[in-house]
């Protein structure tokens, strides 16, 4: 097993942000249907261990590159850019984030209608899509700006997770 | 050089004959065992022709009853007759109290809060009680096949956490079974439906059993079953419906005193009978007379539906959440599992929510065992050409306790398994050589709101100044969803030992003690046993290697390597006929090492074929 392969190489894909997810999931399933421990019930202990390691690595790789944000972060990592915990972001972006949070708080205070929440989520999804498009366009030529876009995407991802949490509460979890 | 062995493609090379495997649905209310015979998965009956085994165990001073006979004495002997033991698997006393259960048992006090029930036959853990049910089921298989069972697949609710899965596996070990795989119940149900139809698309499996509710979204593509998301409620089931009806009877009867265990049990059985009656009828007569609790009246189906409406709403909310987790809306099929899905109100709610008529043509009580049997048959190697694969996800996030009682998530819910994650930690005191970790499972932020799985201690950390040691802890979750932990100090490369102490399960030591006690063997037998074990290991290595050589030997190996493996096999075969335990173990080790290169070649070849197969598919599509 070649641990020096990156997550794209595991699927015999070229390193790129733009990815045919349908094709990726075909490759993923094809690999797992040959490497998964269930295919090695009769095998030697050594093969069982190899199978577990492979299946684990294929799952980890798939998890990272199948999702847009984690794929973006991984691409930066491959280029030697490590994501910071507390990045410096443009002031107007931060203000915009605060406003969105206030908007969400208001939806909560006003009795938390599912419709308003859905509209808010739609807005987040749209911004996310825009930033993803921007990342795809610039990450090969402008690493510095691409990194900033990833931080912005992380903010939107957090918001989206928060909306999910609120939904969970409404659904009684 | 050995002669080429010519066999039909996909057929096993001798001595690998057809193996016997079974699927077991270890249910809250009823359990079943099924096996594939003549290509068809069928549930196996007991000697009276009954297929469903009530999951009930009655302990007597000198014997143990399992099933209907135990259920029949539940009213007479409530303290020694254990029902719905599945709800207690891998749980602590606190959990059970928190669930607000009114369980009529005499719980023993244990040091660690683990559940043990005081019976005339001594204190019994849920694991031991479940193993009695498993033994009874396996007896049916032995009768049917008059012999040995090579392995079983046991199903568990998709929502079961690590402790509950581990407890199930331990119960199987106590019953002397080889577990091929723990399979999620909804996946098993989809296997039962999906295998025959070659269906592709998104499937929701709605499983309302006796004690648990599971909802799973599966994607079926070219024989691959992928669990996209699972959810549910491990404390919602048919039993709760019975309780609602029982509460109604109590209210209507005007009975004000506390119910005795016997009264409670009888009442629940009455309520269950009423519920079943109302699956076929619009109205049922109620006639209850239990030790001073009297009620004579009628219950209509509509009224019952009102009584249980909240429970159905709870289950629909879980459906909503799992759809969101799966990020899917278009469900093309719904599979119904569990006796409670016979209720009209349940079927209606499911149809309304998913917008499709649910599949009900396989008996909802049997569908899980049948799917498990199909999977067992494949795993044991009876269908080597079969492409079916089950890809599962971790049902609940795994985390560890950090400062202030917070849970830090290490592996997120719904991550595909097997998976591993590594995390670095450091020491906070000079010269610190040990560290204590507490592993929890659940979605909440506070450790106290999550399930405590185990604690483990890292020992043998090299003494350094505070903050200098870098300890990498790796959490590995296998294909059964079971966790193991390993740790290494990175600056020195020293492996630290990990000792796991399950919060509410049995430790490795306790299990081996129990196994030993059940065998009760003398000094001489120990030798006989280790010789037998060494031989079994030798044979399974030879079997595995011959199978692999038959498939890939000529294709992947140079003549020299092939010859040395074949020589190794024949040496091991010769040695294992002797009584020399050490020589057998030595040869097993030698041959294992010799075969490692071949194993690596086989893996690489598997990876290559994964992609070559893909290109052919794509050509066909174009």
């Amino acid at each position: 097993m070649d641990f020096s392969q990156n997550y794209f190489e595991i699927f015999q894909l070229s390193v790129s942000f733009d990815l045919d997810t349908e094709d990726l999931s075909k490759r993923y399933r094809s690999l797992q249907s040959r490497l998964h421990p269930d295919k090695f019930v009769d095998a030697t202990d050594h093969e069982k261990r190899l199978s577990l390691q492979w299946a684990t690595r294929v799952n980890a790789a798939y998890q990272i590159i199948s999702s847009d944000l984690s794929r973006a972060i991984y691409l930066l990592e491959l280029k030697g850019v490590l994501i910071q915990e507390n990045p410096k972001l443009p002031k107007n972006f931060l203000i915009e984030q605060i406003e969105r949070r206030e908007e969400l708080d208001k939806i909560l205070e006003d009795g938390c209608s599912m419709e308003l929440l859905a509209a808010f989520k739609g807005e987040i999804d749209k911004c996310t899509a825009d930033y993803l498009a921007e990342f795809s366009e610039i990450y090969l030529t402008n690493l510095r700006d691409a990194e900033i876009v990833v931080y912005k995407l992380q903010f939107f991802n957090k918001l989206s997770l928060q909306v999910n949490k609120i939904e969970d509460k409404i659904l009684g979890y | 050089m050995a002669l080429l062995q010519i066999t039909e493609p996909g057929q096993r090379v001798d001595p690998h004959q057809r193996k016997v495997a079974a699927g077991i649905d270890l249910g809250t209310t009823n359990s079943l065992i099924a096996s594939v015979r003549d290509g068809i998965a069928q549930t196996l009956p007991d000697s009276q022709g009954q297929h469903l085994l009530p999951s009930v165990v009655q302990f007597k001073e000198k014997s143990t009853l399992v099933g209907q006979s135990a259920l029949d004495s539940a009213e007479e002997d409530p303290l020694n007759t254990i029902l719905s033991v599945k709800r207690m698997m891998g749980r602590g006393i606190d959990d059970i109290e928190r669930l607000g259960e009114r369980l009529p048992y005499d719980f023993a006090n244990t040091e660690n809060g683990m559940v043990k029930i005081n019976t005339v036959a001594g204190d019994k853990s849920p694991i031991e009680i479940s193993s009695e049910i498993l033994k009874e089921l396996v007896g049916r298989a032995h009768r049917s096949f008059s012999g040995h069972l090579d392995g079983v697949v046991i199903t568990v609710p998709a929502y079961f956490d690590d402790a509950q899965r581990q407890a199930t596996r331990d119960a199987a070990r106590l019953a002397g079974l080889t577990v091929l795989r723990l399979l999620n119940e909804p996946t098993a149900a989809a296997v039962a439906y999906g295998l025959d139809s070659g269906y592709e698309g998104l499937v929701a499996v709605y499983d309302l059993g006796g004690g648990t509710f599971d909802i799973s979204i599966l994607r079926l593509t070219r024989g691959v079953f992928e669990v996209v998301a699972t959810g549910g409620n491990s404390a919602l089931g048919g039993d709760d419906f019975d309780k609602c009806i029982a509460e109604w009877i109590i209210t209507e009867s005007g009975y004000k005193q506390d119910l005795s265990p016997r009264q409670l049990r009888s009442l629940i059985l009455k309520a269950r009978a009423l519920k079943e009656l109302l699956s076929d009828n619009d109205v049922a007569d109620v006639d209850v007379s239990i030790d001073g609790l009297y009620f004579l009246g009628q219950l209509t189906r509509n009224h019952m539906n009102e009584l249980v409406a909240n429970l159905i709403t709870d289950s629909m909310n879980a459906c909503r959440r799992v759809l969101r987790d799966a990020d899917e809306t278009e469900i093309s099929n719904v599979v119904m599992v569990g006796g409670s899905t016979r209720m009209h109100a349940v079927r209606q709610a499911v149809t309304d929510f998913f917008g499709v008529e649910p599949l009900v043509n396989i008996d909802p009580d049997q569908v899980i065992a049948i799917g498990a049997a199909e999977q067992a048959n494949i795993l044991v190697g009876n269908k080597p050409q079969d492409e079916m694969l089950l890809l599962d996800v971790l049902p609940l996030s795994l985390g560890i306790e950090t400062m202030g009682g917070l849970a830090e998530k290490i592996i997120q819910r719904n991550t595909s398994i097997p998976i591993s994650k590594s995390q670095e930690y450091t020491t906070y005191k000079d010269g610190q050589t040990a560290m204590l970790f507490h592993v929890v499972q659940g979605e909440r932020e506070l450790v106290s709101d999550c399930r405590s799985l185990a604690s483990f201690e890292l020992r043998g950390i090299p003494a350094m100044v505070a903050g200098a040691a870098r300890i990498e802890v790796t959490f590995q979750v296998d294909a059964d969803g079971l966790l193991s932990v390993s740790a290494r100090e990175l600056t020195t490369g020293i492996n630290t030992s990990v000792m796991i102490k399950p919060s509410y399960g049995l430790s490795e030591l306790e299990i081996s003690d129990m196994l030993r006690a059940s065998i009760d063997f003398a000094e001489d037998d120990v030798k006989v046993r280790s010789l037998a074990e060494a031989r079994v290991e030798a044979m399974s290595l030879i079997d595995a290697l011959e199978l692999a050589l038959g498939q890939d030997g000529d294709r992947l190996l140079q003549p020299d390597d092939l010859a040395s493996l074949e020589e190794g096999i024949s040496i091991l075969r010769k040695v294992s006929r002797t009584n020399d335990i050490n020589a057998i173990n030595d040869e097993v080790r030698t041959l294992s090492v010799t075969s490692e290169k071949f194993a690596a070649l086989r893996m690489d070849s598997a990876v290559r074929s994964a992609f070559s197969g893909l290109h052919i598919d794509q050509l066909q599509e174009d």
Side-chain angles (χ1 to χ4, degrees), chain B residues 195-305:
Chain B
L195 271 185
D196 307 326
S197 61
Y199 169 81
E200 304 212 340
L202 283 166
V203 179
V205 182
Y206 183 99
D207 178 353
L208 190 57
T212 51
F213 168 65
D214 291 313
I215 175 74
S216 299
I217 309 295
L218 310 177
R219 185 182 291 123
L220 273 64
T221 327
R222 298 173 203 216
V224 179
F225 289 75
E226 194 178 346
V227 182
V228 186
T230 72
N233 188 336
S234 54
L236 170 70
D239 293 356
D240 300 294
F241 288 70
D242 301 342
K243 258 182 237 159
C244 278
I245 299 167
E247 300 282 352
W248 172 78
I249 296 174
I250 297 173
T251 316
E252 292 293 305
S253 72
Y255 193 78
K256 292 278 187 280
Q257 290 148 41
D258 279 345
L259 267 62
S260 68
R262 204 186 94 88
Q263 280 178 310
L264 186 59
R265 169 88 58 235
S266 309
L267 189 61
I268 295 274
L269 290 178
K270 264 279 195 269
R272 185 175 302 171
L274 266 176
K275 179 183 76 178
E276 284 164 10
L277 211 56
L278 286 172
S279 283
D280 297 320
N281 302 287
D282 294 330
V283 59
D285 290 327
V286 192
D287 181 359
V288 176
S289 164
I290 314 163
D291 299 347
L293 191 163
Y294 302 108
F295 177 62
L296 202 62
Q298 280 193 326
L299 181 60
T300 63
R301 185 192 284 163
N302 284 340
H303 191 180
M304 177 182 72
N305 291 349

Side-chain angles (χ1 to χ4, degrees), chain B residues 64-333:
Chain B
T64 307
L65 288 178
V66 181
Q68 192 59 48
S69 51
L71 182 60
D72 291 341
S73 36
E75 286 187 43
E76 305 310 318
D77 189 16
L79 292 178
N80 296 304
T81 309
I82 320 300
L83 283 90
S84 302
V85 63
K86 190 175 182 177
R87 305 192 87 152
M88 295 183 262
M89 289 290 269
R91 299 227 167 233
I93 285 279
D94 300 352
D95 297 317
I96 289 173
E97 280 167 2
R98 205 177 310 155
L99 289 173
E101 301 264 350
R102 293 167 83 179
L103 295 172
Y105 308 122
D106 180 9
F107 288 106
N109 282 320
T110 51
E111 308 154 24
N112 55 1
M114 187 182 157
V115 178
K116 283 212 171 180
I117 296 171
N118 187 283
T119 74
V120 285
D123 292 350
K124 296 289 178 184
S125 70
I127 294 172
E128 293 166 274
I129 300 167
S130 295
S131 87
E132 295 295 338
I133 299 171
L134 288 172
K135 282 182 205 160
E136 184 73 22
L137 289 170
V138 168
R140 295 180 179 186
H142 287 165
R143 252 197 314 281
S144 299
F145 303 115
S146 57
H148 180 70
L149 205 52
D150 291 294
V152 295
V153 166
I154 301 179
T155 59
V156 290
Y159 223 56
F160 253 25
D161 63 33
D162 181 85
Q164 293 165 302
R165 282 167 200 261
Q166 197 71 60
T168 306
R169 216 173 222 281
D170 290 342
R173 270 180 73 193
L174 274 186
L177 294 171
T178 305
V179 180
L180 300 166
R181 182 87 131 83
L182 295 180
L183 183 61
N184 285 329
E185 287 162 5
T187 312
V191 170
Y193 275 103
L195 271 185
D196 307 326
S197 61
Y199 169 81
E200 304 212 340
L202 283 166
V203 179
V205 182
Y206 183 99
D207 178 353
L208 190 57
T212 51
F213 168 65
D214 291 313
I215 175 74
S216 299
I217 309 295
L218 310 177
R219 185 182 291 123
L220 273 64
T221 327
R222 298 173 203 216
V224 179
F225 289 75
E226 194 178 346
V227 182
V228 186
T230 72
N233 188 336
S234 54
L236 170 70
D239 293 356
D240 300 294
F241 288 70
D242 301 342
K243 258 182 237 159
C244 278
I245 299 167
E247 300 282 352
W248 172 78
I249 296 174
I250 297 173
T251 316
E252 292 293 305
S253 72
Y255 193 78
K256 292 278 187 280
Q257 290 148 41
D258 279 345
L259 267 62
S260 68
R262 204 186 94 88
Q263 280 178 310
L264 186 59
R265 169 88 58 235
S266 309
L267 189 61
I268 295 274
L269 290 178
K270 264 279 195 269
R272 185 175 302 171
L274 266 176
K275 179 183 76 178
E276 284 164 10
L277 211 56
L278 286 172
S279 283
D280 297 320
N281 302 287
D282 294 330
V283 59
D285 290 327
V286 192
D287 181 359
V288 176
S289 164
I290 314 163
D291 299 347
L293 191 163
Y294 302 108
F295 177 62
L296 202 62
Q298 280 193 326
L299 181 60
T300 63
R301 185 192 284 163
N302 284 340
H303 191 180
M304 177 182 72
N305 291 349
E306 282 167 30
L307 295 174
V308 301
N310 280 340
L311 297 174
I312 293 179
T313 308
D314 280 353
S315 84
M316 293 339 280
N317 279 342
C319 292
R320 211 160 277 136
R321 184 180 192 218
V322 86
L323 274 186
R324 197 201 62 207
D325 280 351
D327 207 10
E328 300 285 357
T329 44
E330 285 295 299
I331 299 297
S332 18
N333 258 312

Side-chain angles (χ1 to χ4, degrees), chain A residues 1 10-12 23 26-47 50-52 54-56 59-60 62-63 121 164-165 167-168 171 173, chain B residues 12 19 180-181 221-222 224 226 317-318 320-321 324 375 379-380 386-391 415-420 445 476 541 544 547 596 599 602-603 606 609-611 614 618 621:
Chain A
M1 179 178 182
I10 285 177
F11 297 103
Q12 297 197 354
D23 174 56
K26 261 187 205 161
R27 286 165 189 268
Y28 167 72
R29 282 195 295 266
S30 186
L31 268 178
Q32 285 294 24
S33 60
R34 283 166 180 83
L35 299 171
H36 193 274
D38 278 2
K39 299 289 164 185
F40 294 87
V41 168
D42 267 346
T44 60
D45 289 347
H46 183 69
E47 279 194 355
L50 285 181
S51 146
L52 179 65
W54 258 105
T56 298
N59 273 335
Y62 183 68
Q63 198 194 350
K121 209 176 174 181
N164 283 352
K165 249 190 206 159
E167 273 179 3
D168 279 354
L171 296 178
Y173 278 92
Chain B
R12 286 180 158 276
K19 293 187 172 176
L180 300 166
R181 182 87 131 83
T221 327
R222 298 173 203 216
V224 179
E226 194 178 346
N317 279 342
R320 211 160 277 136
R321 184 180 192 218
R324 197 201 62 207
Q375 174 72 354
L379 287 182
V380 85
D386 201 287
E387 285 281 293
M388 187 183 88
L389 177 71
L390 305 178
L391 292 172
T415 303
S416 295
I417 51 174
I419 196 77
S420 77
E445 275 161 27
Q476 170 84 54
L541 177 61
L547 183 65
E596 283 181 9
R602 292 221 319 145
M603 283 291 158
S609 76
F611 293 113
L614 207 66
Q618 280 169 340
E621 274 169 26

